[in-house]
Amino acid sequence: MFTSQEISEIKKLLTPDRRIVIVTHYNPDGDAIGSSLGLKHFLSQNGVDADVIVPNDFPKFLKWMPGAKKIIIADYKRKVAGEAIYNADLIFILDFNASHRSGNLVGPWLDKARAVKILIDHHQQPDDFDYIYSDVSVPATSQMICHFIEALGREDLINKDIADCLYTGIMTDTGGFRFRSTSATTHRIVANLIEKGADPAMISSNTLDTNTVSRLHLLALILGRIEVVKDGKVAILWLKRDELKEFGFQKGDTEGFVNYGLSIMGTRVAAFFMEDLYDDFIKISFRSKDDVDVNSFSRRYFNGGGHINAAGGKYYKTIEGTIEDFKEKIEGEDF
Ligand code: 5GP
Ligand code: MN
């Protein structure tokens, strides 16, 4: 958490006359959108306006969230987003640890912005910002927003909109309260959010029961050819661009697919390789169990990073070449 000195400085920065922007990472997920909108609604309760800017579009299953329609998507509104970041007095950097993680467009804007920058994030090895609240032991940035609100002493301001957004972020980033860093504190916070009006049945139905037929067909395709290597410890899944096109792929359609690899008895690591729809690279998702560290594995070999048990990466070969290199790299690993 920020020191009490920092909290009092931050309090002084949260005034209606300041231009405040909240930015999150490229390909925003439930936690990115949940923490950003949760913070926006909280600031609004304090009489302070803030713009949420995301680098690119976010999945349909998050569009129901209160305030989602007001989010500025930099890919579609370059001028508005660029000017807002350029003119900002204060920028909250949520759910990512380094400006390049917000993409080629927004990343350089953040580097140039003269605003005071406040980072709240749970990824490893954050870059330097004016104020940093970084904690890798917290399962979701949305939970950190709750701790931040507590530190400001304003839990009384949490309303239903804030609670619904923060609950969504915590639910999605903990895989439905299942992943390792889900703690008693997480459950206490979630209980508190429910008391403040968060609606678990509505949220999970809106966020999770959103399969499209095309997504299920894609899932059937990749489950049908899942490969298990390294004595059953590593599961490999993959998708090609032509297949994405054939099934009418939409953003978010492959969300969570990698977890099926990890659900196989005995697997320690799951890797999902997907050709990018537009550019010539392979987007990789890694998931792991227990102390198998896919963050460091991805940093070392696949130009990525993330968390110990959930990381991503990028690779600039064909999908066949990427999977071949992956198989070679895991031979040297002690999974
Ligand atoms: P996902 O597999 O869901 O895309 O990403 C899993 C985790 O890894 C997320 O927390 C995400 O922030 C992180 N991550 C994904 N791709 C990259 C990447 O290319 N670089 C880094 N540093 N982290 C990534
Ligand atoms: Mn997160």
Side-chain angles (χ1 to χ4, degrees), residues 25 29 95 97 100-101 123 255 283-287 299 303-307 310-314:
H25 56 79
D29 58 4
D95 203 36
N97 54 359
H100 71 88
R101 292 278 302 122
H123 295 88
E255 192 88 20
K283 162 82 182 98
I284 314 173
S285 284
F286 294 116
R287 298 292 184 271
R299 269 176 198 267
N303 311 301
H307 312 273
K314 265 184 176 182

PDB file of all heavy atoms in Angstrom, residues 25 29 95 97 100-101 123 255 283-287 299 303-307 310-314, ligand 1:
ATOM      1  N   HIS A  25      -4.239  -1.787 -19.661  1.00  0.00           N
ATOM      2  CA  HIS A  25      -3.351  -2.447 -20.630  1.00  0.00           C
ATOM      3  C   HIS A  25      -4.045  -2.814 -21.935  1.00  0.00           C
ATOM      4  O   HIS A  25      -5.273  -2.794 -22.033  1.00  0.00           O
ATOM      5  CB  HIS A  25      -2.726  -3.707 -20.020  1.00  0.00           C
ATOM      6  CG  HIS A  25      -3.702  -4.717 -19.501  1.00  0.00           C
ATOM      7  ND1 HIS A  25      -4.374  -5.597 -20.305  1.00  0.00           N
ATOM      8  CD2 HIS A  25      -4.119  -4.990 -18.239  1.00  0.00           C
ATOM      9  CE1 HIS A  25      -5.148  -6.376 -19.573  1.00  0.00           C
ATOM     10  NE2 HIS A  25      -5.013  -6.016 -18.312  1.00  0.00           N
ATOM     11  N   ASP A  29      -8.881  -6.874 -19.926  1.00  0.00           N
ATOM     12  CA  ASP A  29      -9.672  -8.017 -19.463  1.00  0.00           C
ATOM     13  C   ASP A  29     -10.635  -7.554 -18.360  1.00  0.00           C
ATOM     14  O   ASP A  29     -10.773  -6.349 -18.103  1.00  0.00           O
ATOM     15  CB  ASP A  29      -8.736  -9.134 -18.979  1.00  0.00           C
ATOM     16  CG  ASP A  29      -7.819  -8.668 -17.855  1.00  0.00           C
ATOM     17  OD1 ASP A  29      -7.955  -7.506 -17.385  1.00  0.00           O
ATOM     18  OD2 ASP A  29      -6.959  -9.461 -17.434  1.00  0.00           O
ATOM     19  N   ASP A  95      -3.580  -2.122 -13.575  1.00  0.00           N
ATOM     20  CA  ASP A  95      -3.486  -3.515 -14.033  1.00  0.00           C
ATOM     21  C   ASP A  95      -2.378  -3.742 -15.066  1.00  0.00           C
ATOM     22  O   ASP A  95      -2.437  -4.713 -15.810  1.00  0.00           O
ATOM     23  CB  ASP A  95      -4.850  -4.001 -14.570  1.00  0.00           C
ATOM     24  CG  ASP A  95      -4.963  -5.532 -14.518  1.00  0.00           C
ATOM     25  OD1 ASP A  95      -4.435  -6.129 -13.573  1.00  0.00           O
ATOM     26  OD2 ASP A  95      -5.560  -6.110 -15.437  1.00  0.00           O
ATOM     27  N   ASN A  97       2.194  -2.876 -15.633  1.00  0.00           N
ATOM     28  CA  ASN A  97       3.376  -2.484 -14.873  1.00  0.00           C
ATOM     29  C   ASN A  97       4.393  -1.636 -15.653  1.00  0.00           C
ATOM     30  O   ASN A  97       5.341  -1.138 -15.089  1.00  0.00           O
ATOM     31  CB  ASN A  97       4.078  -3.736 -14.340  1.00  0.00           C
ATOM     32  CG  ASN A  97       4.383  -4.729 -15.454  1.00  0.00           C
ATOM     33  OD1 ASN A  97       4.050  -4.487 -16.620  1.00  0.00           O
ATOM     34  ND2 ASN A  97       5.011  -5.830 -15.108  1.00  0.00           N
ATOM     35  N   HIS A 100       4.844   0.174 -22.058  1.00  0.00           N
ATOM     36  CA  HIS A 100       4.755  -0.561 -23.338  1.00  0.00           C
ATOM     37  C   HIS A 100       3.631  -1.603 -23.336  1.00  0.00           C
ATOM     38  O   HIS A 100       3.150  -1.993 -24.394  1.00  0.00           O
ATOM     39  CB  HIS A 100       6.097  -1.213 -23.688  1.00  0.00           C
ATOM     40  CG  HIS A 100       6.453  -2.385 -22.814  1.00  0.00           C
ATOM     41  ND1 HIS A 100       6.049  -3.663 -23.111  1.00  0.00           N
ATOM     42  CD2 HIS A 100       7.140  -2.452 -21.650  1.00  0.00           C
ATOM     43  CE1 HIS A 100       6.496  -4.474 -22.160  1.00  0.00           C
ATOM     44  NE2 HIS A 100       7.146  -3.770 -21.264  1.00  0.00           N
ATOM     45  N   ARG A 101       3.174  -2.013 -22.137  1.00  0.00           N
ATOM     46  CA  ARG A 101       2.083  -2.988 -22.062  1.00  0.00           C
ATOM     47  C   ARG A 101       0.738  -2.371 -22.491  1.00  0.00           C
ATOM     48  O   ARG A 101      -0.252  -3.078 -22.642  1.00  0.00           O
ATOM     49  CB  ARG A 101       1.968  -3.569 -20.644  1.00  0.00           C
ATOM     50  CG  ARG A 101       3.130  -4.451 -20.243  1.00  0.00           C
ATOM     51  CD  ARG A 101       3.020  -5.886 -20.767  1.00  0.00           C
ATOM     52  NE  ARG A 101       1.814  -6.539 -20.328  1.00  0.00           N
ATOM     53  CZ  ARG A 101       0.899  -7.056 -21.150  1.00  0.00           C
ATOM     54  NH1 ARG A 101       1.050  -6.988 -22.455  1.00  0.00           N
ATOM     55  NH2 ARG A 101      -0.153  -7.645 -20.660  1.00  0.00           N
ATOM     56  N   HIS A 123       1.297  -6.962 -11.172  1.00  0.00           N
ATOM     57  CA  HIS A 123       2.281  -7.695 -11.976  1.00  0.00           C
ATOM     58  C   HIS A 123       3.687  -7.464 -11.438  1.00  0.00           C
ATOM     59  O   HIS A 123       3.941  -6.458 -10.782  1.00  0.00           O
ATOM     60  CB  HIS A 123       2.191  -7.270 -13.442  1.00  0.00           C
ATOM     61  CG  HIS A 123       0.891  -7.631 -14.088  1.00  0.00           C
ATOM     62  ND1 HIS A 123      -0.200  -6.806 -14.048  1.00  0.00           N
ATOM     63  CD2 HIS A 123       0.507  -8.739 -14.736  1.00  0.00           C
ATOM     64  CE1 HIS A 123      -1.212  -7.394 -14.673  1.00  0.00           C
ATOM     65  NE2 HIS A 123      -0.810  -8.574 -15.101  1.00  0.00           N
ATOM     66  N   GLU A 255     -10.912 -16.481 -24.923  1.00  0.00           N
ATOM     67  CA  GLU A 255     -10.649 -16.237 -23.500  1.00  0.00           C
ATOM     68  C   GLU A 255     -10.886 -17.528 -22.699  1.00  0.00           C
ATOM     69  O   GLU A 255     -11.954 -18.136 -22.812  1.00  0.00           O
ATOM     70  CB  GLU A 255     -11.635 -15.154 -23.038  1.00  0.00           C
ATOM     71  CG  GLU A 255     -11.365 -14.566 -21.695  1.00  0.00           C
ATOM     72  CD  GLU A 255     -10.417 -13.385 -21.763  1.00  0.00           C
ATOM     73  OE1 GLU A 255     -10.263 -12.795 -22.848  1.00  0.00           O
ATOM     74  OE2 GLU A 255      -9.830 -13.082 -20.726  1.00  0.00           O
ATOM     75  N   LYS A 283       0.551 -15.124 -30.692  1.00  0.00           N
ATOM     76  CA  LYS A 283       0.211 -14.703 -29.318  1.00  0.00           C
ATOM     77  C   LYS A 283       0.164 -15.981 -28.477  1.00  0.00           C
ATOM     78  O   LYS A 283      -0.481 -16.966 -28.857  1.00  0.00           O
ATOM     79  CB  LYS A 283      -1.141 -13.979 -29.348  1.00  0.00           C
ATOM     80  CG  LYS A 283      -1.827 -13.857 -28.000  1.00  0.00           C
ATOM     81  CD  LYS A 283      -1.286 -12.680 -27.183  1.00  0.00           C
ATOM     82  CE  LYS A 283      -1.965 -12.609 -25.807  1.00  0.00           C
ATOM     83  NZ  LYS A 283      -1.183 -13.219 -24.720  1.00  0.00           N
ATOM     84  N   ILE A 284       0.869 -15.948 -27.361  1.00  0.00           N
ATOM     85  CA  ILE A 284       0.946 -17.148 -26.525  1.00  0.00           C
ATOM     86  C   ILE A 284       0.358 -16.867 -25.151  1.00  0.00           C
ATOM     87  O   ILE A 284       0.572 -15.794 -24.582  1.00  0.00           O
ATOM     88  CB  ILE A 284       2.415 -17.599 -26.331  1.00  0.00           C
ATOM     89  CG1 ILE A 284       3.154 -17.590 -27.672  1.00  0.00           C
ATOM     90  CG2 ILE A 284       2.473 -18.985 -25.686  1.00  0.00           C
ATOM     91  CD1 ILE A 284       4.642 -17.853 -27.547  1.00  0.00           C
ATOM     92  N   SER A 285      -0.395 -17.843 -24.625  1.00  0.00           N
ATOM     93  CA  SER A 285      -0.850 -17.794 -23.239  1.00  0.00           C
ATOM     94  C   SER A 285      -0.291 -18.999 -22.505  1.00  0.00           C
ATOM     95  O   SER A 285      -0.401 -20.122 -23.003  1.00  0.00           O
ATOM     96  CB  SER A 285      -2.377 -17.869 -23.164  1.00  0.00           C
ATOM     97  OG  SER A 285      -2.942 -16.644 -23.532  1.00  0.00           O
ATOM     98  N   PHE A 286       0.284 -18.739 -21.343  1.00  0.00           N
ATOM     99  CA  PHE A 286       0.771 -19.831 -20.500  1.00  0.00           C
ATOM    100  C   PHE A 286      -0.010 -19.848 -19.191  1.00  0.00           C
ATOM    101  O   PHE A 286      -0.302 -18.787 -18.624  1.00  0.00           O
ATOM    102  CB  PHE A 286       2.247 -19.622 -20.136  1.00  0.00           C
ATOM    103  CG  PHE A 286       3.192 -19.690 -21.301  1.00  0.00           C
ATOM    104  CD1 PHE A 286       3.920 -18.565 -21.671  1.00  0.00           C
ATOM    105  CD2 PHE A 286       3.368 -20.858 -22.012  1.00  0.00           C
ATOM    106  CE1 PHE A 286       4.813 -18.614 -22.744  1.00  0.00           C
ATOM    107  CE2 PHE A 286       4.255 -20.924 -23.083  1.00  0.00           C
ATOM    108  CZ  PHE A 286       4.975 -19.803 -23.444  1.00  0.00           C
ATOM    109  N   ARG A 287      -0.319 -21.030 -18.706  1.00  0.00           N
ATOM    110  CA  ARG A 287      -0.885 -21.190 -17.370  1.00  0.00           C
ATOM    111  C   ARG A 287      -0.146 -22.325 -16.686  1.00  0.00           C
ATOM    112  O   ARG A 287       0.296 -23.264 -17.339  1.00  0.00           O
ATOM    113  CB  ARG A 287      -2.385 -21.532 -17.421  1.00  0.00           C
ATOM    114  CG  ARG A 287      -3.268 -20.467 -18.067  1.00  0.00           C
ATOM    115  CD  ARG A 287      -3.352 -19.192 -17.238  1.00  0.00           C
ATOM    116  NE  ARG A 287      -4.266 -18.220 -17.815  1.00  0.00           N
ATOM    117  CZ  ARG A 287      -3.910 -17.301 -18.719  1.00  0.00           C
ATOM    118  NH1 ARG A 287      -2.656 -17.205 -19.145  1.00  0.00           N
ATOM    119  NH2 ARG A 287      -4.812 -16.462 -19.200  1.00  0.00           N
ATOM    120  N   ARG A 299       9.335 -14.710 -19.976  1.00  0.00           N
ATOM    121  CA  ARG A 299      10.296 -13.603 -20.082  1.00  0.00           C
ATOM    122  C   ARG A 299      11.576 -14.071 -20.756  1.00  0.00           C
ATOM    123  O   ARG A 299      12.144 -13.371 -21.594  1.00  0.00           O
ATOM    124  CB  ARG A 299      10.673 -13.103 -18.674  1.00  0.00           C
ATOM    125  CG  ARG A 299       9.794 -12.006 -18.180  1.00  0.00           C
ATOM    126  CD  ARG A 299      10.149 -11.627 -16.747  1.00  0.00           C
ATOM    127  NE  ARG A 299       9.037 -10.898 -16.183  1.00  0.00           N
ATOM    128  CZ  ARG A 299       8.937  -9.574 -16.193  1.00  0.00           C
ATOM    129  NH1 ARG A 299       9.903  -8.842 -16.701  1.00  0.00           N
ATOM    130  NH2 ARG A 299       7.887  -8.982 -15.686  1.00  0.00           N
ATOM    131  N   ASN A 303       9.402 -13.448 -25.057  1.00  0.00           N
ATOM    132  CA  ASN A 303       9.152 -11.995 -25.104  1.00  0.00           C
ATOM    133  C   ASN A 303       7.917 -11.567 -24.327  1.00  0.00           C
ATOM    134  O   ASN A 303       7.172 -10.705 -24.778  1.00  0.00           O
ATOM    135  CB  ASN A 303       8.991 -11.519 -26.561  1.00  0.00           C
ATOM    136  CG  ASN A 303      10.088 -12.027 -27.453  1.00  0.00           C
ATOM    137  OD1 ASN A 303      11.248 -11.757 -27.197  1.00  0.00           O
ATOM    138  ND2 ASN A 303       9.738 -12.805 -28.469  1.00  0.00           N
ATOM    139  N   GLY A 304       7.713 -12.187 -23.177  1.00  0.00           N
ATOM    140  CA  GLY A 304       6.492 -11.866 -22.438  1.00  0.00           C
ATOM    141  C   GLY A 304       6.714 -11.802 -20.948  1.00  0.00           C
ATOM    142  O   GLY A 304       7.802 -11.471 -20.476  1.00  0.00           O
ATOM    143  N   GLY A 305       5.668 -12.111 -20.219  1.00  0.00           N
ATOM    144  CA  GLY A 305       5.705 -12.063 -18.763  1.00  0.00           C
ATOM    145  C   GLY A 305       4.307 -12.162 -18.219  1.00  0.00           C
ATOM    146  O   GLY A 305       3.398 -12.598 -18.926  1.00  0.00           O
ATOM    147  N   GLY A 306       4.112 -11.745 -16.996  1.00  0.00           N
ATOM    148  CA  GLY A 306       2.782 -11.824 -16.381  1.00  0.00           C
ATOM    149  C   GLY A 306       2.936 -12.201 -14.925  1.00  0.00           C
ATOM    150  O   GLY A 306       3.659 -11.529 -14.191  1.00  0.00           O
ATOM    151  N   HIS A 307       2.267 -13.256 -14.541  1.00  0.00           N
ATOM    152  CA  HIS A 307       2.329 -13.726 -13.159  1.00  0.00           C
ATOM    153  C   HIS A 307       2.966 -15.116 -13.132  1.00  0.00           C
ATOM    154  O   HIS A 307       3.124 -15.747 -14.172  1.00  0.00           O
ATOM    155  CB  HIS A 307       0.933 -13.831 -12.553  1.00  0.00           C
ATOM    156  CG  HIS A 307       0.080 -12.633 -12.778  1.00  0.00           C
ATOM    157  ND1 HIS A 307       0.084 -11.550 -11.937  1.00  0.00           N
ATOM    158  CD2 HIS A 307      -0.793 -12.349 -13.765  1.00  0.00           C
ATOM    159  CE1 HIS A 307      -0.756 -10.645 -12.400  1.00  0.00           C
ATOM    160  NE2 HIS A 307      -1.308 -11.100 -13.508  1.00  0.00           N
ATOM    161  N   ALA A 310       0.205 -17.382 -14.532  1.00  0.00           N
ATOM    162  CA  ALA A 310      -0.513 -16.942 -15.745  1.00  0.00           C
ATOM    163  C   ALA A 310       0.332 -15.897 -16.452  1.00  0.00           C
ATOM    164  O   ALA A 310       0.555 -14.808 -15.916  1.00  0.00           O
ATOM    165  CB  ALA A 310      -1.872 -16.348 -15.384  1.00  0.00           C
ATOM    166  N   ALA A 311       0.818 -16.239 -17.618  1.00  0.00           N
ATOM    167  CA  ALA A 311       1.656 -15.285 -18.340  1.00  0.00           C
ATOM    168  C   ALA A 311       1.327 -15.343 -19.822  1.00  0.00           C
ATOM    169  O   ALA A 311       0.652 -16.266 -20.286  1.00  0.00           O
ATOM    170  CB  ALA A 311       3.130 -15.593 -18.098  1.00  0.00           C
ATOM    171  N   GLY A 312       1.805 -14.348 -20.528  1.00  0.00           N
ATOM    172  CA  GLY A 312       1.599 -14.313 -21.971  1.00  0.00           C
ATOM    173  C   GLY A 312       2.907 -14.025 -22.670  1.00  0.00           C
ATOM    174  O   GLY A 312       3.911 -13.712 -22.024  1.00  0.00           O
ATOM    175  N   GLY A 313       2.908 -14.129 -23.957  1.00  0.00           N
ATOM    176  CA  GLY A 313       4.106 -13.829 -24.719  1.00  0.00           C
ATOM    177  C   GLY A 313       3.796 -13.635 -26.188  1.00  0.00           C
ATOM    178  O   GLY A 313       2.644 -13.779 -26.622  1.00  0.00           O
ATOM    179  N   LYS A 314       4.841 -13.284 -26.937  1.00  0.00           N
ATOM    180  CA  LYS A 314       4.719 -13.045 -28.382  1.00  0.00           C
ATOM    181  C   LYS A 314       5.906 -13.703 -29.044  1.00  0.00           C
ATOM    182  O   LYS A 314       7.024 -13.613 -28.523  1.00  0.00           O
ATOM    183  CB  LYS A 314       4.841 -11.544 -28.658  1.00  0.00           C
ATOM    184  CG  LYS A 314       3.539 -10.812 -28.762  1.00  0.00           C
ATOM    185  CD  LYS A 314       3.838  -9.358 -29.124  1.00  0.00           C
ATOM    186  CE  LYS A 314       2.568  -8.578 -29.337  1.00  0.00           C
ATOM    187  NZ  LYS A 314       2.827  -7.208 -29.723  1.00  0.00           N
TER     188      LYS A 314
HETATM  189  P1  5GP B   1      -3.183 -13.830 -21.140  1.00  0.00           P
HETATM  190  O1  5GP B   1      -2.635 -15.206 -21.357  1.00  0.00           O
HETATM  191  O2  5GP B   1      -4.519 -13.871 -20.485  1.00  0.00           O
HETATM  192  O3  5GP B   1      -3.120 -12.976 -22.362  1.00  0.00           O
HETATM  193  O4  5GP B   1      -2.207 -13.139 -20.124  1.00  0.00           O
HETATM  194  C1  5GP B   1      -1.920 -13.686 -18.872  1.00  0.00           C
HETATM  195  C2  5GP B   1      -1.134 -12.692 -18.046  1.00  0.00           C
HETATM  196  O5  5GP B   1       0.102 -12.420 -18.669  1.00  0.00           O
HETATM  197  C3  5GP B   1      -1.842 -11.361 -17.905  1.00  0.00           C
HETATM  198  O6  5GP B   1      -1.701 -10.979 -16.563  1.00  0.00           O
HETATM  199  C4  5GP B   1      -1.102 -10.416 -18.793  1.00  0.00           C
HETATM  200  O7  5GP B   1      -1.026  -9.174 -18.221  1.00  0.00           O
HETATM  201  C5  5GP B   1       0.268 -11.033 -18.935  1.00  0.00           C
HETATM  202  N1  5GP B   1       0.741 -10.920 -20.316  1.00  0.00           N
HETATM  203  C6  5GP B   1       0.103 -11.339 -21.431  1.00  0.00           C
HETATM  204  N2  5GP B   1       0.822 -11.087 -22.545  1.00  0.00           N
HETATM  205  C7  5GP B   1       1.953 -10.483 -22.122  1.00  0.00           C
HETATM  206  C8  5GP B   1       3.113  -9.953 -22.798  1.00  0.00           C
HETATM  207  O8  5GP B   1       3.265 -10.014 -24.020  1.00  0.00           O
HETATM  208  N3  5GP B   1       4.065  -9.385 -22.003  1.00  0.00           N
HETATM  209  C9  5GP B   1       3.963  -9.326 -20.641  1.00  0.00           C
HETATM  210  N4  5GP B   1       4.948  -8.748 -19.929  1.00  0.00           N
HETATM  211  N5  5GP B   1       2.888  -9.802 -19.990  1.00  0.00           N
HETATM  212  C10 5GP B   1       1.894 -10.370 -20.701  1.00  0.00           C
END
